[in-house]
Amino acid sequence: MDLESIPGVGEKTARALTALDEPERALRRGDVATIATAPGISQGRAARIARGAIRLEHDDPGGFLATDRAREVYRNVLALLKSRTVTDYAAQRLETIYPSPRRSRIEDVQAFARDALEREYDETVLTALEGVEPLEKPGDIRVRERCLATADAERYSEARDAIPELSVEIVEDTQGLAELARGYSTVVALDESFAGVTIDGDVQVRPDALETPAEIVPERPLSFFARNRSRLQAAIDVHRAGDLEAACDLEALEDGLSRLDEDGTVAGDDELDRLTTAIDDLETAAGTAESVANDHLREAIREEDVTIEGSDLLSLVERGAGVDSLLSRELADEYAAAVETAREHLIDALDLDQGEAEIARRAFSDEPTFPVERDGDVVSRLREELTAAKERRAGRLKRELAADLADQREGARQLVRDALELDVELAIARFGREFECTMPEFVDGDSHSASAASSERSASDEQVGFAIDGGRSPLLDEPLEAIDPVDYEVTGVALLSGVNSGGKTSTLDLVASVVVLAHMGLPVPAERVRLQRFDDLHYHAKTQGTLDAGAFESTVREFADLAQGGEGSLVLVDELESITEPGASAKIIAGILEALSENGATGVFVSHLADEIREMADYDVTVDGIEAMGLVDGQLEVNRSPVKDHLARSTPELIVEKLADEAREPATNGGSVPDVTGPDFYDRLLEKFD
């Protein structure tokens, strides 16, 4: 796929997309999460790029939504779907599902939607989805206690590119390697020539290091899992709650994550915790050990039986008057005991092992002195020993954990992708169930359009239009149970008549939403729907007020273009007569209907001038009617399903008919005088409607 051929993708964006591992796969799948990981591409931008790639893949000419009202209907039904998502990803992913005239695209989404409608879900799954987000790339990693070493300048450049997390040092010989070992906890020599040398410190000769970077820098894979730990755990929870087939071993992944801290260090190892605590507490423990020794020694001096009072002796000692000889002669045993107490306190406080304890014991000298003081050099040596042990332990644990998690990485990515896609599926499933939807049946109709979409159709097929059984408009701001189901079928071009507030506009909205959802490949809110694949949808909403001359001219031009190339189009128009005077409107609408009918378009024109338009047209115009059954307590009682080939009565006619019926009946108001207006007056008015 030529990335720059995707609508909306230029050279800069194409270059960013090439940074992805498999850009074409992500684009074809509409994988918004993966596309959004490309440099400088937001999730919203990723959705637009994915939509463009899908159009390119299916040779989709675009422009199905040909008018503002058609686009508004799409945005409204899309909003209903998006409101049923949990994650931001799913909401953006739904943006890649758009109405298309292409059979291949519709069928692709239909397959996805049919699987989605089979999904079972409960609040546990939806709650678990709240923690799922697309995986993030970890930031730049720098490991300072480890380095790479080589004597080859070319190898040096390769190492910097392959393992940027570590410093790479040039060394000329073994001595240079030894000097590095004194400054780093671990030195990895890349040259085979260093094999077999003996150097103090942790020096590893690994000629294969650049081919196995995860072994040299386990922080690389671990940082990925650490950065995304909560997201991965949420995806695990989703798979368990939804009983989904997992792309990896959930228990193994969860165990690995439990051993990893958020900062990428290994968690839950007692020995590593001991060494970390010992390093953190070393200075405090050494100071406390000093105090313990000096307190012990002071107490011994106070109680010592010599020729001078103990308090006087203590004063002399604290002034340093012959303290070494005095302690050696009079308090040798007490001093030894005080020092031993300090040593034991330091060892116990830091929980040191035998080798570490040997170093710790040297922190307090056997030579008598007062006050007792720790040897700073020995304490530093102990810190170095503990730090080295910690780094060795941490390094080994990181390598082990990285090895355990390495094989899980791609599975973990798929785990999150599947959880995010589940949210998309559940949004469709929830929409489908809440609006009692069904999958529509497409039956291609006769068309001779030169457009790419129309060229797929067989000229031998008869025109179908659309047929909706038990449809309920999702655009109505009413509970589903409060909406009367509508049956409506149109082949060719029809006029839709009916009383005010009878539901004519709602019927157009129903048709538009059904057609839009069907061409998106999604379920539609009806018991059954059959329709042809349309090239485009032209939905013209009711105009508020008469248009001025310029706007009127523009509107007529728009319909002229549509009439000339309307084959394969669905045209929905709400009260076009409002654009100008009623008499002229009837003539114009009649002419438009003639042209659309000749070109094989499908259309529904809502109009109160149906009778006048039918008289003006030079062919037998189909007129359907939303019939009012009558007035009950001043309210219209309406059959919401249009009656085929029936001119519906107007609201004024119903009111006059009601008055005539009342005039024929005797007074029923308790003996009051009857209405002096006779039925003849109302009957004469009714005759005008015939």
Side-chain angles (χ1 to χ4, degrees):
M1 179 186 292
D2 179 6
L3 298 180
E4 290 190 45
S5 66
I6 298 172
V9 173
E11 181 181 354
K12 182 179 179 181
T13 303
R15 191 163 53 249
L17 292 172
T18 59
L20 301 175
D21 291 336
E22 297 180 83
E24 290 190 22
R25 176 180 178 275
L27 291 166
R28 287 194 173 96
R29 288 170 55 90
D31 188 348
V32 175
T34 297
I35 298 170
T37 62
I41 295 180
S42 66
Q43 201 158 270
R45 171 84 170 129
R48 292 191 292 274
I49 292 171
R51 191 162 54 241
I54 292 167
R55 282 181 51 197
L56 180 66
E57 181 76 9
H58 293 277
D59 192 24
D60 187 341
F64 181 88
L65 302 167
T67 62
D68 289 342
R69 179 56 184 160
R71 288 185 283 273
E72 184 179 0
V73 169
Y74 166 65
R75 288 194 298 270
N76 288 340
V77 297
L78 183 62
L80 290 172
L81 287 158
K82 291 170 70 173
S83 69
R84 287 158 175 79
T85 62
V86 177
T87 64
D88 290 340
Y89 167 84
Q92 294 291 346
R93 172 73 167 82
L94 284 170
E95 293 273 3
T96 68
I97 302 178
Y98 63 93
S100 169
R102 306 301 288 175
R103 178 190 287 117
S104 59
R105 173 57 182 168
I106 294 171
E107 290 177 349
D108 278 358
V109 182
Q110 281 184 329
F112 179 77
R114 286 193 176 95
D115 290 341
L117 291 175
E118 297 298 319
R119 287 287 189 192
E120 296 295 333
Y121 61 90
D122 56 26
E123 287 301 319
T124 305
V125 176
L126 300 179
T127 300
L129 277 168
E130 292 177 1
V132 182
E133 296 180 63
L135 298 177
E136 292 184 342
K137 286 185 176 181
D140 293 338
I141 306 166
R142 292 297 298 173
V143 181
R144 304 191 182 283
E145 73 274 4
R146 214 173 307 139
C147 78
L148 303 175
T150 179
D152 186 336
E154 186 174 327
R155 188 75 160 161
Y156 170 85
S157 297
E158 292 176 6
R160 286 181 59 123
D161 293 337
I163 308 181
E165 298 90 348
L166 301 185
S167 294
V168 184
E169 307 288 348
I170 290 285
V171 294
E172 295 182 356
D173 49 29
T174 303
Q175 182 178 352
L177 203 60
E179 290 177 358
L180 284 179
R182 285 193 288 272
Y184 289 93
S185 297
T186 301
V187 177
V188 179
L190 302 177
D191 305 340
E192 187 71 45
S193 59
F194 289 118
V197 300
T198 302
I199 299 173
D200 290 339
D202 185 10
V203 178
Q204 305 172 15
V205 180
R206 293 288 305 271
D208 64 338
L210 303 188
E211 287 73 49
T212 56
E215 295 180 13
I216 305 304
V217 193
E219 291 86 354
R220 181 184 291 181
L222 292 183
S223 64
F224 165 80
F225 285 98
R227 181 67 174 268
N228 295 291
R229 193 173 71 160
S230 62
R231 291 170 166 83
L232 292 168
Q233 184 60 59
I236 292 172
D237 295 341
V238 167
H239 277 70
R240 285 180 173 154
D243 195 24
L244 305 180
E245 182 177 347
C248 62
D249 187 332
L250 296 183
E251 291 186 2
L253 177 58
E254 194 168 39
D255 175 68
L257 294 175
S258 70
R259 293 153 55 196
L260 188 63
D261 271 337
E262 292 182 359
D263 61 357
T265 59
V266 178
D269 182 75
D270 293 339
E271 176 62 7
L272 187 60
D273 291 343
R274 181 190 72 81
L275 291 167
T276 301
T277 301
I279 294 169
D280 292 341
D281 295 348
L282 176 56
E283 196 62 36
T284 300
T288 303
E290 277 186 357
S291 298
V292 168
N294 286 312
D295 289 346
H296 182 91
L297 199 53
R298 283 191 181 92
E299 188 62 28
I301 292 172
R302 287 193 182 96
E303 296 178 357
E304 183 63 25
D305 185 13
V306 292
T307 56
I308 62 175
E309 294 294 328
S311 59
D312 295 333
L313 177 61
L314 181 59
S315 177
L316 290 170
V317 169
E318 288 179 340
R319 291 201 303 268
V323 66
D324 293 344
S325 61
L326 182 61
L327 289 175
S328 178
R329 185 181 72 251
E330 303 290 342
L331 301 169
D333 292 341
E334 286 77 4
Y335 179 83
V339 168
E340 186 61 26
T341 301
R343 291 167 174 168
E344 291 301 324
H345 176 86
L346 184 59
I347 293 168
D348 291 344
L350 300 180
D351 191 21
L352 302 179
D353 65 18
Q354 185 175 352
E356 297 157 357
E358 287 301 317
I359 299 174
R361 297 185 71 83
R362 295 198 295 272
F364 296 96
S365 173
D366 290 327
E367 294 297 324
T369 182
F370 188 84
V372 178
E373 294 182 349
R374 62 185 179 273
D375 187 330
D377 291 340
V378 174
V379 173
S380 295
R381 174 74 181 88
L382 178 58
R383 182 181 297 279
E384 291 172 2
E385 184 67 24
L386 290 170
T387 301
K390 174 189 173 183
E391 295 298 339
R392 287 194 298 272
R393 180 78 179 179
R396 182 171 65 79
L397 291 172
K398 285 179 180 179
R399 288 190 293 274
E400 291 173 354
L401 182 54
D404 291 343
L405 289 173
D407 294 338
Q408 300 270 24
R409 184 162 184 167
E410 187 50 45
R413 290 182 185 277
Q414 190 60 49
L415 197 74
V416 173
R417 282 197 292 263
D418 290 345
L420 292 169
E421 285 297 307
L422 175 67
D423 191 20
V424 181
E425 293 183 45
L426 292 187
I428 295 172
R430 294 166 72 187
F431 175 83
R433 292 177 195 180
E434 290 171 28
F435 286 97
E436 298 180 2
C437 294
T438 187
M439 292 302 293
E441 306 166 40
F442 277 96
V443 183
D444 283 347
D446 179 32
S447 176
H448 302 282
S449 171
S451 72
S454 297
S455 64
E456 291 188 2
R457 302 192 181 97
S458 169
S460 63
D461 291 337
E462 64 177 67
Q463 189 175 6
V464 175
F466 64 83
I468 300 172
D469 296 337
R472 290 182 173 92
S473 173
L475 306 183
L476 288 173
D477 189 18
E478 297 284 347
L480 187 68
E481 59 273 13
I483 301 174
D484 294 330
V486 172
D487 301 333
Y488 193 32
E489 178 177 352
V490 171
T491 300
V493 183
L495 285 168
L496 180 59
S497 62
V499 296
N500 290 330
S501 302
K504 299 186 296 298
T505 298
S506 296
T507 299
L508 289 188
D509 284 348
L510 170 64
V511 173
S513 58
V514 164
V515 169
V516 166
L517 284 164
H519 285 76
M520 292 170 75
L522 297 178
V524 296
E527 295 174 6
R528 186 188 182 197
V529 169
R530 295 176 70 254
L531 75 165
Q532 71 183 65
R533 275 185 306 110
F534 294 107
D535 290 348
D536 41 45
L537 170 62
H538 298 257
Y539 186 179
H540 293 268
K542 186 186 302 183
T543 301
Q544 300 298 320
T546 302
L547 300 181
D548 60 30
F552 175 76
E553 179 181 343
S554 175
T555 301
V556 174
R557 283 182 182 275
E558 185 176 353
F559 278 101
D561 293 340
L562 179 58
Q564 291 175 6
E567 182 184 12
S569 297
L570 173 61
V571 185
L572 305 176
V573 183
D574 195 0
E575 295 189 23
L576 184 60
E577 62 262 27
S578 63
I579 66 173
T580 188
E581 297 86 353
S585 293
K587 297 173 183 177
I588 291 169
I589 295 172
I592 293 172
L593 294 181
E594 292 168 5
L596 291 176
S597 180
E598 290 171 3
N599 286 337
T602 301
V604 180
F605 281 62
V606 168
S607 179
H608 289 289
L609 303 177
D611 205 17
E612 293 87 338
I613 295 168
R614 184 165 53 183
E615 292 179 4
M616 294 284 183
D618 62 2
Y619 78 105
D620 188 12
V621 179
T622 298
V623 178
D624 302 328
I626 295 179
E627 182 70 7
M629 311 304 294
L631 288 166
V632 179
D633 296 328
Q635 299 294 320
L636 284 172
E637 190 175 85
V638 180
N639 175 14
R640 303 292 179 181
S641 295
V643 179
K644 296 301 296 180
D645 299 315
H646 175 74
L647 179 63
R649 293 182 298 171
S650 66
T651 304
E653 181 180 0
L654 289 171
I655 293 173
V656 173
E657 182 180 70
K658 175 177 178 294
L659 292 172
D661 291 340
E662 290 175 350
R664 293 188 187 95
E665 298 175 0
T668 58
N669 55 358
S672 61
V673 179
D675 185 350
V676 296
T677 305
D680 291 345
F681 174 77
Y682 299 119
D683 289 339
R684 289 178 63 186
L685 292 181
L686 284 174
E687 290 175 2
K688 302 298 183 182
F689 289 96
D690 294 337

